[in-house]
Amino acid sequence: MELKRLRYFLAVAEELHFGRAAARLDMAQPPLSRQIAALEAELGAKLFDRSRSQIRLTPAGELFLERARDLVERLDSAFRETRLIGEGGAGRLRVGFVGSATHGPLPEVIKTYRAQYPGVDLMLSAMNNAELERALAQQDLDIAVARPALKGEELRTLRLVEEALVLAVPESAPLATRGAAIPLPEVEAETFVLYPHRPRPSFADDVLRCCEMNGFIPRDQVFAQDYQTAISLVSVGVGLCMVPESVSRVSRPGVVFRRFDGHNPGTRLTICARRDNRLAHVTNFFTITQRLLRQGG
């Protein structure tokens, strides 16, 4: 049975007049009459009583009207929902991010995306770089916010922010009272809290390279599995930590942030997605990010 015949039937059943139904459907009356006759023949039942001046639905027609309305409404709803998902307005978007990405521009990107696409189920997961890379490869993620960029020709990337590194030191440490930038070689004897512990290479190796570029390797190293744990260890006096500058914009009890003098390679936060992921959700996320970056200068 053709869908258009159901729509023809609904128009006639609701208007109870072939002329008005034809006008509503923007077609001539004779073809409409033939379509209704063909539908009745297909069903093997009369849908309309044409014996009077005004046509009426037969009992079979009344039942078919109820069922046809339900069917067409379901189809229309399916078409709308499918179109909405295709346009990125519904469905889900899976975003993974490194812990330090919660500082800086990412929260504003997430907030803007939610406001613009409220029908999308935005699934957020904190991961380290290795987990992000594996999840993208296995298509368990749509978007990865990594520090720095994940590598691979199969990925498309967008730089979210590039920033300097700063020191996070215990509030009780003598370094916390220093007003000026701290020459980095002066902290050689301090315990460095590095993260993540594994897998390697990781952000921990970026910090160690930075130290090496400034003429030393930290003698005492304590490893934490993630950024949040590392900052917590600093807050209780275990040692100091090197973090992205955006982290210093949010106060943390027991932690003081200080700039340092010397070679500072900085760090980059990057949005990554598989090139073969054609979901409109991904394109929309990239578009919103690019717009916000332009607005922010």
Side-chain angles (χ1 to χ4, degrees):
M1 183 178 297
E2 296 182 14
L3 178 59
K4 67 178 182 180
R5 282 186 180 167
L6 290 181
R7 297 190 185 278
Y8 293 159
F9 166 76
L10 288 176
V12 176
E14 291 168 357
E15 297 291 343
L16 290 177
H17 191 283
F18 276 90
R20 289 195 299 268
R24 171 174 152 182
L25 294 166
D26 195 24
M27 64 185 298
Q29 181 174 334
L32 177 58
S33 297
R34 289 195 293 271
Q35 289 290 338
I36 296 300
L39 178 60
E40 290 176 322
E42 185 176 0
L43 291 171
K46 285 292 183 182
L47 301 174
F48 296 99
D49 181 358
R50 302 174 179 80
S51 61
R52 303 172 187 175
S53 58
Q54 183 180 5
I55 66 171
R56 297 178 183 275
L57 284 165
T58 65
E62 291 176 353
L63 174 65
F64 193 65
L65 173 60
E66 181 181 342
R67 300 292 191 268
R69 273 178 175 161
D70 181 63
L71 179 59
V72 171
E73 286 173 3
R74 286 172 178 266
L75 285 171
D76 286 344
S77 177
F79 291 154
R80 286 193 301 270
E81 291 174 9
T82 302
R83 187 180 299 112
L84 192 60
I85 291 175
E87 294 170 350
R92 69 176 182 175
L93 179 66
R94 302 162 300 173
V95 179
F97 57 92
V98 292
S100 59
T102 55
H103 305 280
L106 180 62
E108 184 63 24
V109 174
I110 297 296
K111 178 182 176 182
T112 303
Y113 184 90
R114 284 190 186 279
Q116 191 163 336
Y117 298 100
V120 175
D121 182 12
L122 194 55
M123 304 174 65
L124 304 173
S125 304
M127 302 180 178
N128 60 42
N129 264 23
E131 291 168 335
L132 290 172
E133 188 171 25
R134 182 168 58 251
L136 275 183
Q138 296 174 350
Q139 302 185 49
D140 293 328
L141 274 184
D142 301 306
I143 297 282
V145 185
R147 189 184 297 278
L150 302 179
K151 297 180 180 180
E153 294 183 358
E154 72 281 4
L155 300 178
R156 56 169 166 160
T157 61
L158 174 64
R159 185 180 66 184
L160 185 58
V161 66
E162 191 161 358
E163 55 190 324
L165 294 168
V166 299
L167 295 174
V169 302
E171 191 176 41
S172 58
L175 289 172
T177 63
R178 299 278 290 271
I182 301 170
L184 195 60
E186 289 188 13
V187 301
E188 178 179 358
E190 302 289 336
T191 298
F192 268 69
V193 181
L194 302 166
Y195 64 92
H197 182 37
R198 55 179 175 273
R200 306 282 291 277
S202 67
F203 182 71
D205 296 285
D206 294 340
V207 171
L208 292 173
R209 277 193 295 271
C210 176
C211 293
E212 188 174 7
M213 290 175 182
N214 285 277
F216 73 97
I217 295 293
R219 286 176 286 189
D220 295 320
Q221 302 176 13
V222 172
F223 279 88
Q225 188 53 38
D226 53 40
Y227 151 76
Q228 295 291 353
T229 305
I231 287 292
S232 295
L233 291 176
V234 172
S235 71
V236 297
V238 171
L240 59 81
C241 186
M242 197 174 286
V243 297
E245 186 178 21
S246 57
V247 173
S248 67
R249 301 188 188 114
V250 179
S251 62
R252 176 78 183 229
V255 180
V256 174
F257 298 96
R258 291 288 180 264
R259 294 182 180 273
F260 62 84
D261 284 333
H263 181 77
N264 191 330
T267 181
R268 177 180 296 179
L269 197 62
T270 309
I271 294 177
C272 310
R274 291 172 59 104
R275 292 186 183 277
D276 60 0
N277 188 334
R278 303 298 183 182
L279 283 176
H281 307 70
V282 174
T283 299
N284 294 341
F285 193 90
F286 270 75
T287 299
I288 286 174
T289 303
Q290 289 171 322
R291 185 175 71 244
L292 290 176
L293 291 176
R294 287 195 298 268
Q295 292 173 355

